[in-house]
Amino acid sequence: MEPSTETNKEEEEQVVTPWEVAGKDGGKIDYDKLIDRFGCQRIDQSLIQRVERLTSLPAHAFLRRGVFFAHRDLTEVLDGYEKGEKFYLYTGRGPSSEALHLGHLIPFMFTKYLQDAFKVPLVIQLTDDEKFLWKNLTIDECQRLARENAKDIIACGFDISKTFIFSDFNYVGGAFYRNMVEVAKRVTYNQAVGIFGFTGEDHIGKVSFPPVQAVPSFPSSFPHLFSGKENLRCLIPCAIDQDPYFRMTRDVAPRIGYHKPALIESLFFPALQGETGKMSASDPNSAIYVTDSAKDIKNKVNRHAFSGGQDSVEKHRQLGANLEVM
């Protein structure tokens, strides 16, 4: 059984869910506490060196510098790879903005490195249905944003012969839906509330969504890609706020005959306003988008970026910058 995700809201020091990220009292995210709470493991130097040895390539800068800092069962995936067992990659994007911002690019840039280094297939899920359920958007608008976001993802340079990009509205059905129902039957409502924090005010669409994000972890969800390869392992590069989905998935997977998906998880790319949260499409002034012009970027940095400076010129001259937040 994966570690419990239930938290006492009064005692919770920071908020990290798939939909909200905020440090305690406006402070930084404490990743050590997050690792303890989620039950994942830190990536150490020996693991980085092992990746380099197996790929005969230098580790990606995001790995060397601790941007991707935690994992679940990465060692098992590498054990299998060393024995000649392949795996596949799974990552995704919830399309709620016209374009990707720098924070969105982090997992895709790293996934590109993993695909090239290990020469493995990749599935990319566009959760346009999730954004319809959580945002004030029409289905048509969510589908349009998924297509726009797909252009930015394709531009990252993935191997087109090994990459499958799909939107939920267009793909869900058949074997994929069968796996969704298998997962849904094995997660109680109380477990879903404990994992995701659903309340009585949330509509049933939200409660029913987690299996949709879970089942790309299972190769049988893609019979046109992995027919006869039901034992293929899955490695998921993602930001650590997506961990609740895959803790649920890892609990269910052995009960329906699949390997637990492995994860390699990143820090949050900070908002321009500071490290108390992450760049978010919900606040355009917190983020720099791939479609922003040089003028847009300059204006955002000058007006919204938090540099560690004091509240006034006089105070800044007296105290100088706060180097802890620069």
Side-chain angles (χ1 to χ4, degrees):
M1 188 75 177
E2 294 293 311
S4 172
T5 60
E6 297 186 24
T7 57
N8 184 322
K9 292 297 181 183
E10 294 180 356
E11 295 178 2
E12 189 172 314
E13 296 188 347
Q14 56 190 359
V15 178
V16 176
T17 73
W19 311 286
E20 183 182 3
V21 174
K24 180 185 178 183
D25 299 327
K28 296 180 182 180
I29 301 297
D30 187 328
Y31 290 101
D32 288 328
K33 288 187 177 180
L34 205 54
I35 284 175
D36 289 341
R37 176 184 156 197
F38 285 178
C40 44
Q41 296 175 286
R42 270 204 178 269
I43 294 172
D44 59 21
Q45 191 59 37
S46 65
L47 197 53
I48 295 172
Q49 290 171 348
R50 188 179 184 198
V51 169
E52 291 181 323
R53 179 172 58 81
L54 289 175
T55 61
S56 301
L57 292 170
H60 194 281
F62 290 165
L63 198 52
R64 296 196 311 269
R65 299 179 182 179
V67 176
F68 277 82
F69 74 107
H71 75 98
R72 292 179 183 274
D73 287 354
L74 178 59
T75 303
E76 284 78 357
V77 170
L78 297 181
D79 287 346
Y81 186 81
E82 200 160 20
K83 297 173 186 174
E85 299 170 7
K86 290 287 190 178
F87 61 92
Y88 73 100
L89 298 164
Y90 156 40
T91 193
R93 160 82 182 124
S96 60
S97 58
E98 294 285 339
L100 271 61
H101 61 57
L102 299 185
H104 296 143
L105 283 179
I106 297 297
F108 291 112
M109 293 169 67
F110 189 67
T111 300
K112 165 76 165 68
Y113 151 76
L114 291 173
Q115 184 183 57
D116 292 345
F118 288 99
K119 299 177 177 57
V120 290
L122 161 67
V123 296
I124 299 175
Q125 180 182 43
L126 299 173
T127 55
D128 42 7
D129 53 342
E130 177 201 18
K131 292 309 173 185
F132 173 70
L133 294 170
W134 263 269
K135 302 286 185 178
N136 186 25
L137 296 167
T138 66
I139 289 178
D140 287 345
E141 183 69 358
C142 292
Q143 290 184 295
R144 186 187 70 80
L145 292 175
R147 288 192 294 272
E148 292 302 311
N149 284 194
K151 297 174 186 177
D152 294 338
I153 293 168
I154 291 168
C156 291
F158 296 107
D159 183 341
I160 60 172
S161 68
K162 292 186 173 71
T163 303
F164 176 55
I165 303 175
F166 67 98
S167 74
D168 289 341
F169 277 130
N170 290 332
Y171 184 74
V172 171
F176 193 100
Y177 182 71
R178 177 174 174 164
N179 280 338
M180 283 172 50
V181 175
E182 291 275 15
V183 171
K185 187 174 181 179
R186 289 164 176 81
V187 180
T188 68
Y189 176 72
N190 284 341
Q191 286 175 318
V193 169
I195 295 168
F196 299 103
F198 296 130
T199 71
E201 302 302 312
D202 288 313
H203 55 70
I204 61 174
K206 291 183 177 181
V207 181
S208 68
F209 175 75
V212 185
Q213 189 160 322
V215 301
S217 309
F218 308 143
S220 66
S221 296
F222 307 100
H224 66 297
L225 300 176
F226 305 129
S227 179
K229 299 178 180 178
E230 284 73 18
N231 286 325
L232 200 63
R233 286 187 177 273
C234 176
L235 174 62
I236 305 170
C238 62
I240 197 168
D241 60 341
Q242 298 302 302
D243 192 88
Y245 282 114
F246 302 114
R247 291 201 302 279
M248 179 196 76
T249 308
R250 285 167 55 82
D251 184 50
V252 172
R255 292 187 274 154
I256 56 176
Y258 296 113
H259 291 295
K260 293 182 178 184
L263 283 82
I264 183 164
E265 299 178 316
S266 73
L267 309 169
F268 303 118
F269 197 91
L272 290 174
Q273 290 82 358
E275 292 186 280
T276 60
K278 64 174 182 176
M279 271 196 185
S280 172
S282 302
D283 180 5
N285 292 325
S286 76
I288 293 173
Y289 289 85
V290 296
T291 52
D292 283 348
S293 67
K295 183 178 179 182
D296 292 334
I297 295 170
K298 181 179 179 181
N299 286 338
K300 285 184 179 181
V301 171
N302 287 343
R303 295 180 183 179
H304 303 289
F306 185 54
S307 65
Q310 302 296 339
D311 296 337
S312 65
V313 173
E314 292 77 14
K315 195 171 181 183
H316 190 76
R317 285 172 177 161
Q318 177 188 358
L319 301 174
N322 179 357
L323 301 181
E324 293 297 318
V325 296
M326 291 185 71

